[in-house]
Amino acid sequence: FPDRTSDSGPWHRYRDSIKKISFEGRVVAGTRIYGLFSGLSNVVEIENLNYLDTTNVQIMSNMFYDMSSLKTVDLTGFNTSNVRNMRTMFFGATSLTSLDLSSFDTSNVTSMEYMFRGMTNLVDLNLSSFDTSKVIDMEDMFASSTSLTNLDLTNFDTSNVTKMNQMFANMPSLTNLDLSSFNTKKVTTMKSIFYNTKSLNHLTLGKETVWLADGELPEPINGKWVHVDSDATFSSIQLMQYDGSLDGLY
């Protein structure tokens, strides 16, 4: 089907009455499927999504935006090798409790801002297979995913990222975060990166995980961050001065 440049698809006028989407044969997408299912807030199921050929797609932003009733989605057949933009892809998909993106090829993606924002019932998210080496913007990427407890970012390459503001904001269920692979030397803003993420009390930092002054680390439950290997203790303000010399678990 032709490229999409807005949310106003031919089915948009019927969005309140659509409960199920079913692909009955192969459909070849163009380069842009911006907001393909956006706003279909009563859709519970997408059947045979593997029939959607996404080989040519470059823009997937807003694809599942505000699909608040969608319970599951099978994306294992998606070819994302040419995708550059995944901005707000799952924003507001509040009924999804799990998401398997292990087959995603993200090697050409530059925009991931707001990608998983507001997924309030998502508990586990493993992104260890993501290639983020070209990503520039991760603003609000996981913000307000209030039930997210397990977030695996162990292989994230953030060496080209410039924006991380509110990346992990308002995530009250998150207690442990491994940022050991993060290289933040090109980041220009981390404003409110952990805003209202008050349960976070374990952080793993790498040698190139440098904080900016606007980053504001939360206070751990016991009031101090303790470097496990050395027993050195730091307040949140002190840990903001982290220079990479004491990498590891806090």
Side-chain angles (χ1 to χ4, degrees):
F1 52 80
D3 288 355
R4 292 172 49 78
T5 57
S6 72
D7 291 344
S8 55
W11 46 83
H12 196 67
R13 72 183 72 177
Y14 309 110
R15 63 188 181 278
D16 292 336
S17 58
I18 299 174
K19 302 295 193 330
K20 180 180 178 179
I21 299 167
S22 181
F23 286 82
E24 297 183 351
R26 183 169 177 257
V27 177
V28 179
T31 59
R32 300 170 62 95
I33 52 176
Y34 172 87
L36 182 61
F37 307 117
S38 176
L40 298 179
S41 57
N42 292 318
V43 170
V44 176
E45 178 185 5
I46 303 177
E47 187 177 64
N48 299 324
L49 189 55
N50 58 298
Y51 283 144
L52 180 60
D53 185 343
T54 57
T55 304
N56 299 316
V57 176
Q58 297 178 15
I59 309 297
M60 277 188 176
S61 53
N62 285 45
M63 187 172 182
F64 303 98
Y65 177 82
D66 199 28
M67 295 193 74
S68 55
S69 298
L70 188 65
K71 303 293 185 184
T72 62
V73 61
D74 183 358
L75 300 172
T76 54
F78 264 33
N79 182 337
T80 59
S81 59
N82 288 309
V83 177
R84 294 182 285 106
N85 192 329
M86 290 184 173
R87 185 181 191 272
T88 61
M89 189 171 178
F90 303 99
F91 188 153
T94 56
S95 294
L96 285 175
T97 58
S98 63
L99 195 59
D100 183 358
L101 302 179
S102 57
S103 64
F104 267 35
D105 179 349
T106 58
S107 57
N108 285 306
V109 178
T110 59
S111 298
M112 286 187 175
E113 65 269 33
Y114 302 91
M115 187 173 178
F116 306 101
R117 196 186 199 282
M119 298 186 72
T120 54
N121 277 302
L122 190 67
V123 176
D124 298 289
L125 186 60
N126 187 337
L127 301 181
S128 59
S129 62
F130 266 32
D131 180 346
T132 57
S133 58
K134 291 184 179 179
V135 178
I136 296 170
D137 196 340
M138 290 185 175
E139 177 183 359
D140 276 80
M141 189 171 178
F142 308 101
S144 298
S145 291
T146 52
S147 298
L148 196 56
T149 304
N150 301 306
L151 179 59
D152 191 341
L153 308 177
T154 49
N155 293 313
F156 257 39
D157 179 349
T158 62
S159 56
N160 284 307
V161 176
T162 60
K163 296 178 69 177
M164 286 186 176
N165 44 310
Q166 299 187 94
M167 187 173 177
F168 306 105
N170 195 31
M171 298 178 69
S173 300
L174 192 66
T175 60
N176 182 33
L177 193 58
D178 186 343
L179 303 180
S180 57
S181 66
F182 274 41
N183 178 336
T184 58
K185 293 184 178 179
K186 287 188 179 180
V187 177
T188 58
T189 177
M190 290 182 177
K191 187 175 181 180
S192 303
I193 187 171
F194 294 114
Y195 174 76
N196 207 31
T197 302
K198 296 179 180 179
S199 298
L200 187 66
N201 53 36
H202 293 290
L203 266 176
T204 305
L205 304 179
K207 293 185 181 299
E208 296 178 303
T209 314
V210 178
W211 301 111
L212 298 182
D214 62 355
E216 301 175 7
L217 279 172
E219 291 292 339
I221 292 173
N222 64 1
K224 292 288 184 180
W225 292 98
V226 181
H227 185 247
V228 171
D229 291 339
S230 67
D231 285 330
T233 61
F234 303 87
S235 67
S236 290
I237 293 175
Q238 289 171 328
L239 194 57
M240 286 291 296
Q241 309 305 313
Y242 174 81
D243 61 3
S245 59
L246 276 180
D247 58 311
L249 176 62
Y250 287 81

